[in-house]
Amino acid sequence: MDRIRIVGGTPLNGTIPISGAKNATLPLMIASLLTDDTLVLDNVPNLADVGLLKRILGNHGVDCMVKGKRASHNGHSGETVELSARAIIDTTAPYEMVSKMRASFWVVGPLIARMGQARVSLPGGCAIGTRPVDLFIDALESLGADIDIDGGYVVARAPNGLKGARISFPKVTVGATHVAMMAATLAQGESVIENAAREPEVADLAACLTKMGARISGAGTATIRIEGVPSLSGARHTVMPDRIETGTYAFAAAMTGGEVTLEGATPDIVKRPMEVLTEIGAEVTPTNEGIRIKRNGAGLKPIDISTEPFPGFPTDLQAQLMALVCRADGESHIRETIFENRFMHVQELARLGADIQLDGQVAKVTGVERLTGAEVMATDLRASVSLVIAGLAAEGETVINRVYHLDRGFERIEQKLGGCGATIERLSA
Ligand code: UD1
């Protein structure tokens, strides 16, 4: 198993290209199941989760072809992927596949909408809480599907098609919003999704579905309206930039000091994390290329914050923020409100000398003068990158085990950080 070795203490200086968003790419790829035409996606990041989803979609009969790369001046490239679900040969998504990545459960939406049936294993994915699927089931039942749970599978049937409905989510859920929206595009009549997730990835999916012929308004707000159409066509769509990758490298630059341009980053979708970074003591400047992050000499200030659905501070940046304030002058409080158990990085950060106490869903982080390198374990995707951030500022050598967690969501992390002067290398087993 690969490991990452970091020797900390060097400021980051240079340019980091921001890749296409993993959390937009996955639902966009899944949307290919809604049409027998070809969906072309540009700026697809080369990530383990994307590779896994290609295999899962392949199992349903989707042809996934990588059609080349778009190179920028510093060698960054996003792939162009053509997805063609001309014939769906299997409406079952088996346990061995869905258990590896929770988002693959989302195929249930397009499959039931287009095929009138789906049999999808209950998911696994990152071990960050129980992550139930009740709200997906409620939404699909509202749209007229019959649902049974049988042998660990969600079995959905709608032999006469789905019918438009009002779906009112009792809590904000990104995944169930994606699924309800995709399913409603092919339902008969109008659907309204209330308390919908406002995450930019929902708006990106809606933009692509609209190019495919769907009739959607309000995506990106709490109320989405969808007028069902009989069928969708192919389209070409460019995946939006990754706001979590943007925030992660911004926090890394603030942690080490230096000046880094996040090339291709979109300021609009990272407003709250950038406000937080400014409060902590970094300079954040939108530029023509993206966003510039700078911290020269000034200390880091502590912060009190809760994670929230968009436009609040994202849970996917909670671990990275925690790594950063490990070096702040004073006591920070970070409350996790989206997922229980999303504090697995705490004990690993402690191995590097961090002073963190957990009280239920609140982490109290008392800034320390210095972190020291150690061997640590990556436990989930975002937790593992918080260890990279801490390692970049720790004295001496940090070795991160179980790097496959990082590879699920961060493209070429060692090249991107190495290009800005960090001493970071992958040790292949
Ligand atoms: C997505 C993101 C993930 C991010 C999360 C929250 C992708 C691929 N993943 O995950 O990176 O951390 O949004 O921003 O885009 N819930 C239920 N019942 C359900 C569904 C969800 O109770 O049926 C709960 C979850 O347990 C959680 C909350 O709703 O407490 C939000 O989860 P959700 O927004 O659905 O997360 P994901 O879509 O899985």
Side-chain angles (χ1 to χ4, degrees):
M1 252 183 274
D2 286 4
R3 296 178 301 157
I4 293 247
R5 176 177 167 273
I6 298 170
V7 181
T10 318
L12 293 174
N13 280 295
T15 298
I16 298 182
I18 297 303
S19 298
K22 172 182 89 76
N23 284 357
T25 302
L26 301 178
L28 287 166
M29 289 173 70
I30 288 171
S32 69
L33 288 166
L34 286 164
T35 173
D36 59 9
D37 244 338
T38 302
L39 177 64
V40 183
L41 298 177
D42 293 309
N43 199 31
V44 173
N46 189 358
L47 297 170
D49 271 9
V50 171
L52 182 58
L53 186 57
K54 282 182 194 158
R55 290 207 296 283
I56 291 171
L57 292 175
N59 197 56
H60 295 299
V62 182
D63 257 348
C64 300
M65 283 206 298
V66 176
K67 288 300 240 193
K69 299 188 174 212
R70 171 189 61 85
S72 75
H73 71 273
N74 51 11
H76 166 54
S77 58
E79 288 176 350
T80 293
V81 177
E82 282 190 11
L83 300 116
S84 177
R86 202 158 305 285
I88 291 181
I89 52 173
D90 195 343
T91 53
T92 294
Y95 174 75
E96 336 45 290
M97 292 186 169
V98 183
S99 59
K100 293 200 180 93
M101 180 176 53
R102 178 179 166 87
S104 57
F105 180 79
W106 301 350
V107 298
V108 71
L111 286 175
I112 181 80
R114 178 165 158 205
M115 305 302 289
Q117 60 177 50
R119 188 170 165 271
V120 180
S121 170
L122 289 163
C126 274
I128 53 170
T130 43
R131 302 182 93 176
V133 295
D134 53 327
L135 303 177
F136 292 81
I137 292 176
D138 291 352
L140 293 174
E141 282 181 340
S142 301
L143 292 168
D146 275 334
I147 309 238
D148 290 313
I149 309 285
D150 182 25
Y153 281 74
V154 172
V155 182
R157 289 184 203 86
N160 301 316
L162 298 174
K163 301 231 166 13
R166 179 172 294 265
I167 297 164
S168 189
F169 285 118
K171 78 199 272 193
V172 175
T173 149
V174 175
T177 301
H178 283 316
V179 163
M181 188 165 73
M182 285 192 277
T185 57
L186 292 180
Q188 289 161 41
E190 195 195 46
S191 297
V192 180
I193 306 176
E194 290 169 345
N195 198 24
R198 290 181 282 164
E199 269 64 5
E201 292 77 15
V202 172
D204 203 34
L205 175 63
C208 177
L209 292 170
T210 302
K211 290 177 195 163
M212 294 165 71
R215 298 178 60 190
I216 302 176
S217 61
T221 74
T223 307
I224 305 177
R225 285 175 197 282
I226 304 129
E227 183 66 43
V229 293
S231 64
L232 294 176
S233 58
R236 181 163 198 150
H237 186 78
T238 301
V239 177
M240 62 178 277
D242 197 314
R243 64 194 167 95
I244 304 304
E245 192 193 28
T246 303
T248 299
Y249 290 127
F251 287 9
M255 182 71 157
T256 62
E259 183 173 330
V260 171
T261 295
L262 304 171
E263 185 191 54
T266 311
D268 277 3
I269 57 177
V270 285
K271 275 197 187 130
R272 186 66 189 126
M274 294 304 124
E275 267 170 30
V276 168
L277 207 47
T278 310
E279 280 172 47
I280 291 177
E283 258 177 59
V284 178
T285 318
T287 67
N288 288 340
E289 293 84 47
I291 303 176
R292 191 172 60 234
I293 310 292
K294 187 171 165 190
R295 184 170 76 85
N296 285 336
L300 298 167
K301 296 195 197 78
I303 193 144
D304 279 4
I305 198 167
S306 295
T307 59
E308 286 163 14
F310 190 85
F313 189 86
T315 175
D316 285 352
L317 285 174
Q318 180 255 104
Q320 298 88 316
L321 174 65
M322 196 179 296
L324 178 59
V325 294
C326 282
R327 293 285 311 283
D329 306 322
E331 194 176 288
S332 298
H333 299 93
I334 302 177
R335 177 184 293 274
E336 173 58 54
T337 70
I338 311 289
F339 295 112
E340 76 260 36
N341 283 350
R342 204 172 202 184
F343 281 135
M344 277 148 352
H345 40 288
V346 167
Q347 62 190 35
E348 299 303 307
L349 288 170
R351 293 177 61 77
L352 300 173
D355 178 354
I356 307 171
Q357 277 166 32
L358 283 183
D359 180 7
Q361 292 298 95
V362 181
K364 183 176 92 179
V365 187
T366 307
V368 292
E369 219 92 318
R370 56 191 207 121
L371 298 171
T372 41
E375 191 148 344
V376 289
M377 188 82 83
T379 50
D380 74 45
L381 171 55
R382 310 304 178 185
S384 49
V385 85
S386 77
L387 302 174
V388 173
I389 293 177
L392 288 172
E395 288 171 14
E397 183 179 290
T398 296
V399 174
I400 304 173
N401 292 290
R402 300 205 182 155
V403 166
Y404 58 85
H405 287 294
L406 269 180
D407 293 336
R408 290 189 46 206
F410 289 91
E411 193 178 39
R412 302 181 303 115
I413 189 165
E414 63 276 26
Q415 279 109 306
K416 289 191 183 189
L417 289 169
C420 289
T423 305
I424 177 168
E425 63 176 333
R426 180 177 290 259
L427 309 172
S428 291

